[in-house]
């Protein structure tokens, strides 16, 4: 198989997984719109994934006496399962796209050397992490949001960030590329899922409880807060490892100084500080709950801004992934 | 006038203070409490994040001096204001330092007392079982035929096996606690943050960072005079510089021949020989990106490369006014390079050259185009200036810029600007009897960065410890379990309760596990009998 064939395979796989994600999203939307008509207590699928986190997926508001349409319950359950199945399929194809991207390069490499590839890998981790934790954290309620997020981000990736396969620039050619970037991407995935929980926490704690509708089936705020905390508690050490251990080690090797206050580093630091504040806020009176959730969302905003946005704002970042330019800039220091 | 309305004795006591009025000592104590409170620490953390933002948006002098001066030239109105606010070196500015120093004080002020509390808690026995275990939010009860003492004995064994610290109370009830290391992890994390900052501070106070552009074939000895740019830490002393030296013997670049990045450099290697001290043996090393040379505390990095055309300028009198390689600075990824050559000693007039170097030149419809970075068809295309190049004023001047204030461009006879296009070996004769310029050959240059960062291992060790502490503080679950058995008419009633002190754990699951163990097959002794 030639490199060009791998690249074509990768591009086609991205298109296919985009379509399958979209079908999964449709399926979940059908599921949830059908669920609107059913009182919460009667639906089985959504709260079925009870795990260690115990509490029911939905609010136990049994509107007793009302006849429940068994057929409708069965149908919504089917669409829920179909959506999950399609998501699994899409994640598998997504993985093929990543492998193809890596195989298309000469020499073969890990597929994260530019924005397109980072985003491809980042969305993959978000989707895969969601599937991996689906049972353990009872994430069924999250399905339409996660799948919707992945579809939208993939579209942005393909439309605006696409780059043809290119060999690694000299500065990226290091084993630290694998360790540093993979940990950053995993942390990004965990923070993203945690952020979704925090957002829903805020929405749910404000909304009046209704017996039907999407929000009624989202777990209680206390559960959302705990799931969010667990995701962040997983993401934070991984982020620390990526940003404050492997990053500086690699920076020291490639750029002669372990901390350069490069824009990307500054924002990674900002993200770290905000998430540290989140973890503290969760155990501080007066900051628990709402403020902590807001901090988590601020953290998520800085994270994704750093992931994509900063590349367009700050010129001369050494993380701009167009390595030679930065070398020239620094070579041109005036001398007397 | 009578003062009898005043109660006797009141006169001697000081006047009563208004509520909210504090004396100095109380004020200090109040301020200290505020500073070391979690709320203040949170606000300071967020301030730190906020304060770092300008550092990523405004070019920083210590990060990119060239970009900073360009920005300053483009924004003459903002520059003085920004300068006053320290916005060109945010991370050294007083306000940024103030935030992180306050944060550190707050952190230490919080951690030290907590360490004492923890030290006591470490050695304390698990607290006695509350009178009514079923009042706790997570509790369970079950009945058994075993005796009260048997149940308690088994509870001790089960909980000990699960890593709990166990004591038996006066009424026989069992108290157990585990997860003591969570707080240790927490303390370790915060102390490590201080260690990291100390390591970082050592590096920026005692270290230095400098760069030099060396034409291949030349050498370098590590002393201040040899650097092109040099940023010392505030407590740096030149005596700390390791006395090494090296020569760049050869330089290889591997170019991409095809694909989307065609024409760009893939790998470059500098072959150097170095001595750690003037008397040491000569050793060889291949300097590459991501592959620095470490000598003692100092690291030598290859961070860039380019071309230096070798020119010989003879003036109108036939004397050599300039000869040697001149560093040209790459302008793009294909190494189209810009440079100037100055021959202030040329007579009758000074000669200044300014123009571009094309590593692989081709002519497309009359337009000069550079195809790639490899020097396959090296070509120089330069304009010529004569007059006063401003080099006798004594003030320092960039070697990469020509001062054209008092110089004029050399013209052809027809009044168009004169331009000389040269390939290696060719000589151009300048108009007006100024002299000749010979393009001898082109040699590569390397940009070498040299930095000494003492304390980097302290910082690294600090971060690793911080991570270990973080893992402990996030994932160790401090938990208390109590078991009490009571004899009644129907047998033995066992009450079990659990309490999670971290507020993130799954208490009910842990409780269920303990109960299952208590009810199920007894652990050690019974198993041996069967």
């Amino acid at each position: 198989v030639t490199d060009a064939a791998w690249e074509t395979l990768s591009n086609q796989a991205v298109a296919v997984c985009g379509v399958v994600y979209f079908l999964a999203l449709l399926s979940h939307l059908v599921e949830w719109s059908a669920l609107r008509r059913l009182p919460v207590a009667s639906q089985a699928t959504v709260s079925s994934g009870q795990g260690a986190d115990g509490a029911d997926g939905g609010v136990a508001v049994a509107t007793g006496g009302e006849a429940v349409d068994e057929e409708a319950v069965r149908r919504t359950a089917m669409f829920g399962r179909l959506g999950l199945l399609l998501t699994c399929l899409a994640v598998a194809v997504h993985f093929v796209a990543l492998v193809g991207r890596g195989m298309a390069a000469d020499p073969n490499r890990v597929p994260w050397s530019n924005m397109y590839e980072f985003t491809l890998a980042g969305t993959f981790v978000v989707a895969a992490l969601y599937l991996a934790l689906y049972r353990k954290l009872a994430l069924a309620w999250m399905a339409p949001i996660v799948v919707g997020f992945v579809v939208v981000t993939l579209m942005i990736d393909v439309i605006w960030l696409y780059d043809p396969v290119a060999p690694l620039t000299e500065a990226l050619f290091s084993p630290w590329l694998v360790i540093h970037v993979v940990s950053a991407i995993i942390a990004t995935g965990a923070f993203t899922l945690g952020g979704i929980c925090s957002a829903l926490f805020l929405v749910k704690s404000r909304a009046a409880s209704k017996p039907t509708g999407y929000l009624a089936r989202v777990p209680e705020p206390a559960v959302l807060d705990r799931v969010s905390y667990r995701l962040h508690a997983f993401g934070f050490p991984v982020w620390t490892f990526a940003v404050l251990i492997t990053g500086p080690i690699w920076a020291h090797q490639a750029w002669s100084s372990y901390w350069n206050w490069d824009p990307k580093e500054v924002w990674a630091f900002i993200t770290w500080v905000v998430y540290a504040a989140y973890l503290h806020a969760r155990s501080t009176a007066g900051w628990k709950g709402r403020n902590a959730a807001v901090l988590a969302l601020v953290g998520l905003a800085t994270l994704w801004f750093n992931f994509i946005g900063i590349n367009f704002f700050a010129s001369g970042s050494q993380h701009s992934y167009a390595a030679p330019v930065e070398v020239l800039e620094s070579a041109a220091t005036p001398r007397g | 006038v009578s003062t009898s309305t005043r109660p006797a004795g009141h006169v001697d006591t000081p006047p009563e203070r208004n509520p909210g009025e504090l004396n100095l000592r109380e004020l200090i104590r109040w301020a200290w409490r505020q500073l070391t409170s979690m709320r203040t620490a949170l606000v300071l953390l967020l301030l730190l994040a906020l304060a770092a933002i300008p550092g990523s948006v405004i070019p920083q002098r210590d990060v990119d001096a060239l970009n900073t001066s360009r920005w300053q030239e483009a924004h003459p109105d903002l520059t003085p204001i920004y300068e006053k606010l320290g916005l060109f070196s945010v991370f050294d500015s007083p306000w940024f330092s103030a935030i992180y120093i306050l944060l550190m004080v707050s952190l230490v002020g919080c951690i030290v007392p907590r360490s004492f509390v923890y030290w006591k808690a470490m050695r304390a026995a698990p607290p006695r079982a509350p009178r009514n275990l079923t009042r706790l939010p997570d509790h369970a009860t079950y009945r058994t035929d075993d005796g009260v003492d048997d149940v308690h004995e088994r509870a001790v064994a089960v909980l000990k096996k699960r890593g709990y610290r166990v004591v038996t109370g006066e009424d026989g009830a069992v108290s157990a606690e585990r997860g003591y290391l969570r707080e240790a992890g927490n303390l370790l994390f915060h102390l490590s943050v201080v260690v990291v900052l100390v390591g970082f501070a050592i590096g920026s106070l005692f270290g230095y960072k400098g760069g030099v552009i060396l034409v291949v074939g030349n050498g370098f000895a590590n002393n201040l005079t040899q650097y092109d740019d040099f940023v010392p830490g505030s407590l740096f002393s030149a005596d700390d510089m390791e006395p090494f030296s090296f020569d760049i013997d050869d330089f290889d670049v591997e170019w991409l021949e095809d694909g989307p990045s065609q024409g760009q450099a893939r790998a470059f290697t500098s072959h150097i020989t170095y001595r750690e001290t003037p008397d040491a043996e000569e050793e060889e090393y291949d300097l590459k990106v991501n592959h620095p040379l470490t000598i003692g505390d100092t690291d030598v990095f290859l961070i860039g490369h380019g071309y230096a055309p070798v020119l010989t300028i003879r003036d109108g009198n036939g004397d050599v006014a300039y000869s040697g390689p001149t560093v040209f600075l790459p302008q793009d990824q294909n190494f189209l390079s810009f440079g100037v050559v100055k021959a202030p000693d040329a007579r009758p007039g000074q000669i200044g050259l300014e123009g571009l170097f094309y590593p692989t030149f081709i002519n497309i419809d009359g337009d000069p185009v550079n195809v790639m970075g490899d020097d396959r068809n090296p070509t120089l295309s330069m304009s010529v200036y004569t007059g006063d190049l401003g080099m006798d004023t004594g003030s320092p001047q960039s070697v990469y810029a020509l001062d054209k204030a008092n110089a004029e461009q050399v013209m052809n006879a027809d009044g168009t600007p004169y331009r000389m296009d040269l390939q290696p070996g060719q000589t151009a004769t300048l108009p007006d009897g100024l002299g000749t310029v010979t393009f001898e050959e082109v040699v590569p240059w390397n940009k070498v960065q040299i930095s000494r960062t003492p304390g980097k291992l302290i910082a690294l060790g600090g971060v690793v410890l911080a991570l270990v502490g973080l893992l402990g503080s996030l994932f160790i679950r401090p938990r208390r379990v109590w078991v009490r058995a009571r004899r009644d008419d129907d047998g033995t009633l066992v009450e079990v309760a659990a309490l999670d002190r971290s507020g993130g754990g799954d208490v009910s699951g842990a409780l269920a596990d303990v109960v299952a163990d208590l009810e199920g097959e007894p652990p050690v002794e019974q198993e041996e009998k069967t």
Side-chain angles (χ1 to χ4, degrees), chain A residues 146-268:
Chain A
V146 172
V147 178
F149 171 82
V150 170
V151 169
V152 171
T153 317
L154 266 185
M155 274 170 67
I156 293 173
D157 192 29
V158 171
I159 295 171
W160 284 301
L161 303 174
Y162 182 78
D163 261 325
V165 174
L168 288 182
T169 50
E170 180 84 2
L172 292 181
F173 199 75
S174 161
W176 292 106
L177 173 68
V178 182
I179 306 167
H180 174 64
V181 180
V182 89
S183 47
I185 289 180
I186 287 175
T188 301
F191 283 146
T192 303
L193 292 181
I196 292 175
C197 291
S198 290
L200 262 295
F201 168 86
L202 288 176
V203 174
K204 172 105 183 179
S205 29
R206 286 196 164 199
S209 52
K210 279 189 292 178
T212 61
Y214 179 69
L215 277 183
R217 289 180 163 84
V218 167
E220 281 300 297
V223 178
L224 284 174
D225 183 52
R226 192 164 62 220
V227 173
S228 167
Y229 171 72
R230 292 180 71 168
L231 285 163
H232 283 106
F234 166 74
F236 189 69
V238 180
W239 186 249
T240 307
F241 179 72
V243 167
L244 298 179
I245 295 183
T246 60
I249 292 177
W250 189 14
H252 177 257
Q253 278 191 9
W255 302 328
S256 82
S257 157
Y258 62 81
W259 193 263
N260 299 285
W261 294 113
D262 176 88
K264 201 107 184 169
E265 289 174 358
V266 173
W267 278 91

Side-chain angles (χ1 to χ4, degrees), chain B residues 41-120:
Chain B
L42 263 173
V43 171
L44 285 171
L45 264 178
L46 293 176
L47 268 181
L48 189 70
L50 208 60
I53 294 176
S56 74
V57 184
I58 300 162
Q60 297 296 296
R61 195 177 293 116
D62 289 348
V63 176
D64 192 343
L66 185 74
N67 201 7
T68 311
S69 54
R70 268 191 210 144
W71 192 95
Q72 289 175 336
E73 275 163 28
H75 303 83
D77 297 337
L78 284 177
T79 299
I81 303 170
Y82 279 25
E83 193 75 61
K84 276 221 176 73
L85 293 174
L87 288 174
F88 295 116
S89 54
V90 166
F91 305 106
D92 300 334
S93 67
W95 45 273
F96 191 80
S97 313
I99 295 173
Y100 77 75
I101 290 172
L102 277 178
L103 191 60
M104 281 306 113
V105 173
S106 160
L107 193 153
V108 172
C110 180
I111 286 307
V112 171
R114 271 182 83 156
S115 302
F116 287 116
V117 173
Y118 177 62
W119 180 246
K120 275 187 202 150

Side-chain angles (χ1 to χ4, degrees), chain B residues 291-364:
Chain B
H291 191 233
L293 166 66
T294 304
I295 298 169
D297 255 353
T298 310
D299 297 291
V300 179
F301 304 84
L302 175 64
I303 61 167
H305 62 108
Y307 289 107
V310 180
L311 296 178
T312 302
I313 301 177
R314 286 171 202 280
D315 65 11
N317 302 336
D319 297 326
V320 174
Y322 181 91
S323 180
T326 308
V327 170
F328 275 48
L329 297 179
Q331 305 295 302
D332 62 17
Q333 302 194 7
N334 286 329
F335 286 82
L336 175 67
S337 306
F338 173 84
V340 301
V341 182
K342 302 171 189 180
D345 300 330
R347 296 293 175 267
Q350 298 186 356
I351 298 173
L353 309 178
E354 179 188 88
L356 294 170
F357 171 74
Y358 300 77
T360 301
F361 173 88
I362 55 168
N363 188 330
I364 299 179

Side-chain angles (χ1 to χ4, degrees), chain B residues 170-477:
Chain B
E170 287 164 20
D171 59 345
V174 176
S175 308
E177 183 163 9
R178 58 163 293 164
Y180 288 85
L181 283 177
R182 181 193 183 87
E183 178 70 359
N186 191 10
L187 293 172
L188 176 66
F189 170 76
H190 287 91
L191 286 177
S192 305
V193 171
V194 179
V195 173
V196 173
L197 273 177
V198 168
F200 193 79
I202 292 177
S204 41
L205 287 177
F206 297 96
Y208 67 84
K209 183 172 174 177
V212 59
I213 290 183
L214 293 170
V215 172
V216 171
N218 288 4
F220 175 88
N222 190 30
N223 64 59
L224 277 175
T225 57
Q226 300 250 327
Y227 285 89
D228 295 338
D229 56 276
F230 193 82
V231 185
S234 25
L235 297 179
F236 160 81
S237 134
D239 301 336
D240 296 338
M241 297 178 80
E242 257 121 346
F244 62 85
S245 61
F246 62 86
D247 294 313
I248 300 181
D249 303 324
D250 201 3
F251 179 66
D252 300 328
V253 188
E254 191 188 316
W255 298 97
L256 289 169
E257 302 283 345
D258 48 24
S261 307
Q262 182 186 6
Q264 291 180 18
R266 166 182 280 178
F268 39 103
T269 310
S270 212
H271 306 282
I272 66 169
T273 48
Y274 69 99
R275 293 174 198 274
E276 296 207 0
T277 59
D279 321 319
E281 291 262 319
E282 222 175 42
E283 290 173 82
E284 294 191 345
Y285 194 81
D286 285 350
L287 206 57
K288 291 183 238 185
V289 173
N290 277 318
H291 191 233
L293 166 66
T294 304
I295 298 169
D297 255 353
T298 310
D299 297 291
V300 179
F301 304 84
L302 175 64
I303 61 167
H305 62 108
Y307 289 107
V310 180
L311 296 178
T312 302
I313 301 177
R314 286 171 202 280
D315 65 11
N317 302 336
D319 297 326
V320 174
Y322 181 91
S323 180
T326 308
V327 170
F328 275 48
L329 297 179
Q331 305 295 302
D332 62 17
Q333 302 194 7
N334 286 329
F335 286 82
L336 175 67
S337 306
F338 173 84
V340 301
V341 182
K342 302 171 189 180
D345 300 330
R347 296 293 175 267
Q350 298 186 356
I351 298 173
L353 309 178
E354 179 188 88
L356 294 170
F357 171 74
Y358 300 77
T360 301
F361 173 88
I362 55 168
N363 188 330
I364 299 179
D365 302 333
D367 291 323
V369 174
N370 180 41
V371 183
M372 67 177 292
D374 198 6
D375 54 338
R376 307 253 165 114
N377 187 26
T379 303
L380 262 181
S381 176
M382 303 187 89
S383 312
V384 184
Y385 292 82
T386 186
D388 180 7
L389 297 178
M391 298 188 63
D392 306 323
T393 57
S395 59
Q397 198 187 45
S398 169
V399 296
Y400 301 112
L402 205 56
D403 179 3
K404 289 178 272 195
N406 297 312
E408 59 186 56
Q409 188 166 9
V410 174
M411 299 291 182
N412 289 316
D414 61 2
T416 55
Y418 172 76
R419 205 181 72 187
M420 54 169 216
D421 297 314
L422 291 177
Q423 297 212 311
Q426 293 180 341
T427 299
T429 306
L430 304 178
D432 309 331
L434 282 170
T436 62
V437 177
T438 307
F439 181 11
E440 313 277 357
E441 57 170 336
V442 61
V443 291
W445 54 258
N446 288 170
K447 164 98 180 181
V448 176
Q449 184 98 32
I450 297 167
S451 71
R452 181 167 181 274
T453 324
K456 64 188 170 207
L457 288 179
I458 298 179
L460 180 63
V463 190
V464 172
L465 284 180
L467 186 61
V468 172
L470 187 63
L471 291 174
S473 76
L474 287 175
F475 299 117
I476 294 175
R477 304 225 163 278

Side-chain angles (χ1 to χ4, degrees), chain B residues 505-522:
Chain B
D506 171 29
V507 200
S508 43
L511 181 67
D513 288 349
V514 171
V515 172
D517 271 10
L518 284 173
E519 282 190 294
E521 279 296 301

